[in-house]
Amino acid sequence: MQKKHSKICVIGAGYVGATTAFAIASQKIVSELVLIDLDKNKAEGEALDISHGMLFIENMQIRHGDYTDVKDSDIIIITAGVGRKPGESRLDLATKNISIIEKITDSIMQYYNGGILMMVANPVDILTYIVAKRSGLPTNMVIGTGTILDSARFRYLLSRLIHADIKNVHGFIMGEHGDSQFAVWSSTRIAGMPLLDYCIRYNILLDKAKIEQEVMQSGATVIQKKGVTNYAISLLVAELCNTILKNKYSIYNVSSMLDQYCGISDVCISVPTVIGLNGVEKHIELDFTTEELMKLRSSADRMKDFLKIYR
């Protein structure tokens, strides 16, 4: 059951932060919504703009604030950071954004007294790890949006290729939210039927390598065409918040600290995870093929190698 009064803070009032705040407000997810940004005028303007639409949503408190407002939050969403430029990888962003996120984490923890920390800024796996370590919080309390959007893109693309409702397409993209991500084809289902069986029965040919490449390049394609990705990520963040506040125990591929997941520890990458009021309730181990397990471990090693340089 959702709490009578719930509070979310969104740190960063740029494209993603502002759109996330709008998505949360328009879906009536929370009682109190606070936008925090170094540019206080920007945060205030975004809060006012959303508040002016109160008549068409539901009565709630929407305002700008500062880090003192993270107190008593149920969820603290971090969207602040430098955005990815055309042609730039998510890992290229790391050196720019790590120092920013470290300062933000320190500012949060000065006033923190509870709530889930949700990382949205990229590279999300690296930054989720940084926040988990620097905050000192139990690892279940820190999550990143990970490959949820990649999985959504994967399901969208498959639904178009096989002419089926996206709600009947189930599949995951796992590992890094970046170049080492991979599709778990062995667990992909169409209305409960294994994808391979479905394709054989209905004479459908799929180029798996092409599909994975298109999914991986989807974000870069949007950035190239419009300069930023903000709508889909905001919708998924709002859905994650809804899942947490309502303790729905939904399964999403969030990025979080792993501990002996298929032998992988001390790294944040995306695996199927049950999400509830406590953040990470449990990680789910799928029946991976040998190749998929190798890809998962390779992706984890890629993140660890980068973190060795950072350390």
Side-chain angles (χ1 to χ4, degrees):
M1 182 179 294
Q2 187 169 357
K3 294 168 59 177
K4 288 185 178 180
H5 182 86
S6 49
K7 179 180 178 182
I8 293 176
C9 282
V10 178
I11 299 175
Y15 283 109
V16 174
T19 313
T20 293
F22 177 73
I24 290 169
S26 63
Q27 295 182 37
K28 310 170 187 178
I29 290 170
V30 71
S31 309
E32 182 180 358
L33 180 61
V34 185
L35 276 72
I36 301 170
D37 197 285
L38 287 175
D39 186 342
K40 293 184 178 181
N41 282 332
K42 179 70 162 63
E44 183 177 12
E46 296 291 359
L48 280 171
D49 195 10
I50 298 171
S51 297
H52 293 163
M54 195 84 70
L55 174 65
F56 312 107
I57 45 177
E58 187 171 286
N59 191 31
M60 60 184 291
Q61 185 179 8
I62 306 170
R63 60 185 176 85
H64 76 293
D66 56 35
Y67 283 103
T68 61
D69 289 296
V70 303
K71 185 178 179 181
D72 300 326
S73 293
D74 295 285
I75 305 170
I76 303 164
I77 302 168
I78 305 172
T79 69
V82 178
R84 185 158 63 118
K85 297 178 181 178
E88 188 176 36
S89 75
R90 294 180 181 91
L91 285 183
D92 289 335
L93 282 178
T95 52
K96 300 177 184 178
N97 279 340
I98 284 175
S99 61
I100 295 173
I101 296 305
E102 286 178 333
K103 292 175 183 176
I104 289 173
T105 303
D106 292 345
S107 297
I108 290 171
M109 296 312 297
Q110 287 184 51
Y111 306 100
Y112 176 91
N113 65 348
I116 306 299
L117 269 58
M118 185 187 301
M119 176 56 62
V120 180
N122 277 315
V124 68
D125 304 295
I126 297 297
L127 299 183
T128 302
Y129 183 91
I130 297 298
V131 171
K133 290 292 186 179
R134 196 169 184 92
S135 68
L137 293 174
T139 54
N140 63 289
M141 301 294 285
V142 181
I143 64 175
T145 49
T147 59
I148 302 175
L149 182 52
D150 302 293
S151 298
R153 289 164 173 161
F154 177 58
R155 292 172 64 178
Y156 168 79
L157 183 57
L158 279 180
S159 73
R160 292 299 181 267
L161 291 172
I162 66 172
H163 305 291
D165 188 334
I166 190 171
K167 293 179 181 178
N168 298 125
V169 179
H170 300 277
F172 289 114
I173 298 292
M174 290 182 59
E176 174 199 2
H177 176 52
D179 294 343
S180 63
Q181 66 179 229
F182 64 98
V184 188
W185 292 104
S186 64
S187 295
T188 303
R189 299 286 187 273
I190 310 299
M193 185 186 299
L195 176 64
L196 178 60
D197 294 348
Y198 186 92
C199 289
I200 291 173
R201 181 170 297 184
Y202 296 104
N203 196 29
I204 299 171
L205 295 177
L206 295 178
D207 186 333
K208 292 182 179 180
K210 184 178 179 180
I211 291 169
E212 287 190 83
Q213 184 66 23
E214 186 169 340
V215 170
M216 187 171 64
Q217 291 298 321
S218 292
T221 299
V222 174
I223 290 171
Q224 182 184 32
K225 292 180 180 297
K226 61 169 277 193
V228 65
T229 58
N230 58 318
Y231 295 126
I233 185 67
S234 300
L235 289 172
L236 84 81
V237 171
E239 178 57 28
L240 270 183
C241 290
N242 193 38
T243 293
I244 292 167
L245 292 174
K246 292 183 179 178
N247 201 27
K248 291 171 67 174
Y249 277 61
S250 299
I251 299 172
Y252 287 106
N253 267 28
V254 298
S255 181
S256 62
M257 191 72 72
L258 300 185
D259 181 18
Q260 289 304 312
Y261 181 91
C262 297
I264 300 169
S265 297
D266 194 35
V267 67
C268 291
I269 54 174
S270 293
V271 301
T273 305
V274 178
I275 301 295
L277 271 175
N278 296 313
V280 174
E281 300 290 349
K282 64 180 176 181
H283 295 120
I284 297 175
E285 291 193 18
L286 304 178
D287 292 326
F288 299 109
T289 65
T290 300
E291 181 182 7
E292 289 166 350
L293 191 55
M294 288 177 60
K295 288 181 177 179
L296 182 65
R297 289 172 175 164
S298 176
S299 189
D301 288 343
R302 174 179 163 90
M303 296 298 95
K304 287 185 176 183
D305 288 343
F306 180 88
L307 288 164
K308 286 177 184 177
I309 298 173
Y310 160 72
R311 290 169 184 158

